[in-house]
Amino acid sequence: MELRQLTYFVAVAEELHFGRAADRLHIVQSAVSMQIQRLERELGAELFDRTPRRVRLTGAGERLLPEARAVLAAAERARSSVVPPAGLRIGTSTGLGAHLDRVLAAFARRAPDVPVELYSLPAAERLARVAGGALDAAFVRAVEPVPGVRVHPLWPDPLVAALPAGHPLARCAEIGVGDLAGLPLALTDRRTNPALVDLVVGACRDAGFDPLPGPSGGSLQDTLASIGTRPLWTVVYASHARVLHSPRVAFVPFRAPGLALATGLAVSAADPPRHLDALLLACGDHDR
């Protein structure tokens, strides 16, 4: 069993898609498939239930996943004990948008000699890597408590509606959630982002309707491309919407009180990173 095989296994288990896992790992899909097959042969068990339409973890795969994460975290700790990282390793997500640029600029002013490495990862992996010592910190939104991890609250992240630029609602300065009742909602799978899905679906029900189901899964880029060609809507963090360029998609704020998720900075509770104070001050600089 190789660390590379476990790395590929964890990526596929979190993406539940061989192509997306390959993109995340920056390798070709055939290499991922080959290493997973070798791992399955070595273990004598199928780890994934593969069909033309979906990929799911088998029982054996579900049992292996936490153990694989633990092994990878231990390997990273071993490397760090020999060559400690000189800077900060920070987990991010694409939705941070303009927030991230401003925080990094503020941190560079406060700690100009400290390099920063960024890792764009799913929320669950960000937290697992912080807990295991493979990341020094990670930006997270509305997460459940994780043993060994402390989350410092930072700022609320408002959401805006993304809808076709040609739709009548696109001309409004702001809209209510109830105005979208007639449009299908394209939203990520709940397993990927339960806090976001629960917030949006809950807001729809509070407005008196169950959202019409639209396409789920896929990347935000794919979803926005679909919205540009047919009547759909989704939500995007306002900070991210400001850096997106989608001429066929309009981003419209929600009427007060709006929708928002709290963003925080996750760090190890037992061993916080050496430059944490400077990073938190940089987040405060951003917030003013």
Side-chain angles (χ1 to χ4, degrees):
M1 186 184 305
E2 301 176 5
L3 290 177
R4 176 179 57 173
Q5 293 171 336
L6 293 180
T7 300
Y8 292 3
F9 164 72
V10 169
V12 177
E14 290 174 345
E15 298 292 342
L16 292 181
H17 191 283
F18 278 78
R20 290 197 295 271
D23 289 342
R24 175 171 140 190
L25 294 164
H26 306 294
I27 59 176
V28 296
Q29 182 174 334
S30 59
V32 176
S33 299
M34 181 176 64
Q35 292 299 328
I36 295 296
Q37 289 168 3
R38 287 180 177 176
L39 181 60
E40 289 176 325
R41 285 198 299 271
E42 182 173 344
L43 295 174
E46 289 192 355
L47 301 174
F48 296 100
D49 179 16
R50 307 164 176 85
T51 70
R53 298 181 62 86
R54 65 187 303 177
V55 174
R56 293 184 298 181
L57 280 167
T58 62
E62 290 177 351
R63 292 191 295 274
L64 177 62
L65 182 57
E67 303 298 335
R69 285 173 170 156
V71 169
L72 293 174
E76 184 62 32
R77 288 196 299 272
R79 291 190 198 97
S80 297
S81 69
V82 177
V83 184
L88 279 179
R89 301 159 299 171
I90 301 176
T92 69
S93 67
T94 55
L96 286 168
H99 285 306
L100 184 60
D101 290 337
R102 288 194 289 266
V103 169
L104 293 178
F107 182 76
R109 290 193 296 270
R110 291 182 173 276
D113 297 326
V114 179
V116 175
E117 295 181 64
L118 301 179
Y119 298 83
S120 182
L121 300 163
E125 186 172 352
R126 271 176 269 153
L127 289 168
R129 291 197 182 192
V130 168
L135 287 178
D136 299 302
F139 291 102
V140 294
R141 292 190 182 93
V143 295
E144 295 294 324
V146 173
V149 174
R150 178 182 178 187
V151 178
H152 295 265
L154 295 179
W155 58 72
D157 240 340
L159 293 159
V160 297
L163 62 158
H167 194 279
L169 290 174
R171 296 191 291 272
C172 299
E174 57 183 23
I175 58 176
V177 174
D179 298 332
L180 298 163
L183 287 176
L185 171 62
L187 205 56
T188 186
D189 293 329
R190 187 181 182 279
R191 65 171 181 82
T192 304
N193 196 333
L196 176 68
V197 173
D198 290 349
L199 175 68
V200 175
V201 173
C204 292
R205 289 173 178 165
D206 289 344
F209 70 99
D210 284 318
L212 298 172
S216 62
S219 67
L220 176 61
Q221 182 178 358
D222 293 339
T223 299
L224 293 178
S226 296
I227 289 173
T229 60
R230 55 184 169 136
L232 296 168
W233 71 284
T234 191
V235 291
V236 177
Y237 293 105
S239 58
H240 193 199
R242 286 193 287 271
V243 300
L244 291 173
H245 302 284
S246 301
R248 294 186 298 172
V249 178
F251 301 102
V252 184
F254 288 106
R255 192 173 301 122
L259 301 178
L261 285 177
T263 295
L265 186 71
V267 299
S268 169
D271 187 22
R274 191 170 43 150
H275 305 291
L276 175 60
D277 289 344
L279 183 56
L280 288 173
L281 286 171
C283 293
D285 289 346
H286 149 274
D287 215 22
R288 286 195 289 270

